[in-house]
Amino acid sequence: MTSATQPGSVLQATLRRVAESPEFKRVVDEINRGARIVSISGLVAGSARALVMAALQRETKRLFAIVTQSNKDLEPWENDLRFWYCALAGTTECENEVLILPASESDPYAGSSPHPDTLEQRALALWRLARYRQDFVLLTARALARRTVSPDEVIDAGAAFSRGDTQSPEELVERLVASGYVREDPISAIGEFSIRGGILDVWSPGQKRPVRIEFFGDEVDSIREFDPESQLSTTQLKSIEIVPMRELTVRAGDFTHWAGAARERWNDARYGRALLDRTVFADEGESFAGWEWLIPIVRQRSATVFDYLKNAVLVIDEPGSVETYLGEVYQTLTDRYDATDAADDIALRPDELYLPAEDLRARIDDRQRLELRVLGKAAAEIDQGIALDAETPKVQLGKSRSVRTPLFLFSATQQAPEVEWKTQSVLKYHGRLADLANDLVVAREAGTTALFVMPSLGVAERVSEILSEYGVQATLSLATETSDSLNQTVVTVGRLSGSFEMLSARLLIHTEGDLFDEVGAQTVERRSGLEGRRGKTQGRKKKSKTSAFLSDFRDLRPGDFVVHIDHGIGRFGGLQTLNLGPRSGEFMLLYYAEEAKLYVPVERLDLVQRYSSGEGHQPTLDRLGGIGWQKTKAKAKRAMRDMADELLRLYAERKLVGGYAYAGDTPWQKEFEDGFEYTLTPDQETAIEDVKNDMQQPTPMDRLLCGDVGYGKTEVAMRAAFKAVMEGKQSAVLTPTTVLAYQHYDTFRKRFAPFPVKVEL
């Protein structure tokens, strides 16, 4: 049988071995004595690096700023760090200990604004760095080099007050608008606010629920959380923080000021058209696309993220990759600025948006840093030499190719202590659990602790049972009993990007992918409503059907066939702008028979659909104003009535036919459902219960389940299939394409892996 322990108790005892290893003690000594650079090699897995960083932070109590190459590297680091940090702290509440500071990786010369989610996340991270002592901040190389506002400006952009404080609601609303909030009534998403008399509703980033603030004059009389669905208050709060939605606050006057400054800066006639496209909005105090990359001419960003990293230890994840990436970024920025200027468009120089390479190098050298190199400094020196040789100008046929100037941010030749931390990859068992049990016995005899990190409670419990069946005593670290035993097998719940073995700590880490061919880190999160990471976007509005419809129309190409609800099948001729006096605007051009033209305002795209039919079928264009399309619609209506009559007869017959009634849920059904990594949404729960009720009725089941891509339909289907299989039935999944069949096969195989169920294609 398995035993259960307090969250963190067994993990803390297990992970103490990391702090007792000679490598850990040496790195701590080097940090404490003030070594400017410490190089760590041998940490082959991202989860191993995160474990070491979490242990070092708890020992040194310093802020660790971990620099990755790009935004896509942030999420694995975040998941791994949160797991190890919570495990070492013996708690499950670690939401605010790891900050994410992404960079907008979009082109600043493309005339578009950064993504709102990126702006929100940056503002939240800078706010917390400016106000509190933090343990970890994850940022990209581009975020490290980007100019931003000072900590004082970020603090001034937000607000923090308690009950009884004096706070002008009018001034607060003005600050909210300037920092990116949108007025909505009622509010339903992060970044919205509404005001009704002396009551202000606002939903700030970093808050799970919106708050309702009641004012008595300028005095804060009450602060309460409330449910955005019911709008009913839930919890009284003593204080509240309102975090800005973007790091830079901009008011209407700033845009009018910018318009005047822009005319002075770009006074050449060749910039006239580009300038007019912006100033037509800015003169009215309104924002325009891409203003964030142009506003610094009146709102200078003199600070950088280094101003927020007081006494921080920089951790550079693979310095060679980071430096190469930054070199490409700097070169791309220079090329794009030159191309933009040559196209007579207005833009700021790269050094006005980002730190020049020499300034970035100086600021990095001022900070104590750890360099994580898997292969060590020797291999890095060889790679650096090869890279420098490749960047040497070559002359061919009298022409020299352009080369990128090396940045020399993290030279491998610098004198610095190097600590080799030996870790290695673990064996993948592909379902051979008997072999796994034998290896665990050998590891235990060698004094090695095996830790299984499973993505959900259901999978963790199932793995514990499986190990027990093979004679391996496993501790499920979930309940109340404490233990300091190290020489054991531990199963817990969490999400790690990979597995590894740390030799000096005699620690073996396994993830679900090692057992059942699953790769947890690559699992796509499919929460209903497409919720973001960690539920941080739980307040986001769902994408509307209209927006999906319009997105589909952007894929139309001239020559594609479309159907107008009133005029029938036509050919798409593109979008055209017509100057019709008071009715000027953009229109869809549709061609009909005999090259007749129909202009449809873009606001009435709801009248037009993309034409779809059998593969290779070429439709005949309808005659504009003819009766052919009306006949076609009338024929379709008659066919629909006939189909409805047939369906009514069919369903009447079905009601008379007996079906198989399934029994209630089995214990394994509950285990299978607990294995789902994410929280079910109300719609999913309703669909699952409806499907189960249908299956338990003595009449044939017939249910249509509708939902957009990623809304959780497959999970509903898998639970129904599992229920059928548990009663000895065979379940079949039919798909329209071979590719989709392979995708569902892979999903079902991974989900059913812990159970004795055969899944075939």
Side-chain angles (χ1 to χ4, degrees), residues 12 74 154 185 225 256 274 277 335 384 446 456 631 657 698:
Q12 284 178 296
L74 295 177
V154 169
D185 193 11
E225 283 188 343
T256 55
D277 290 343
D335 294 343
Q384 199 170 70
S456 66
K631 290 182 178 179
V657 177

Side-chain angles (χ1 to χ4, degrees), residues 88-106:
L88 288 167
T91 180
T92 57
E93 298 296 328
C94 301
E95 287 191 8
N96 297 326
E97 281 72 14
V98 181
L99 298 180
I100 304 294
L101 184 64
S104 174
E105 297 190 353
S106 59

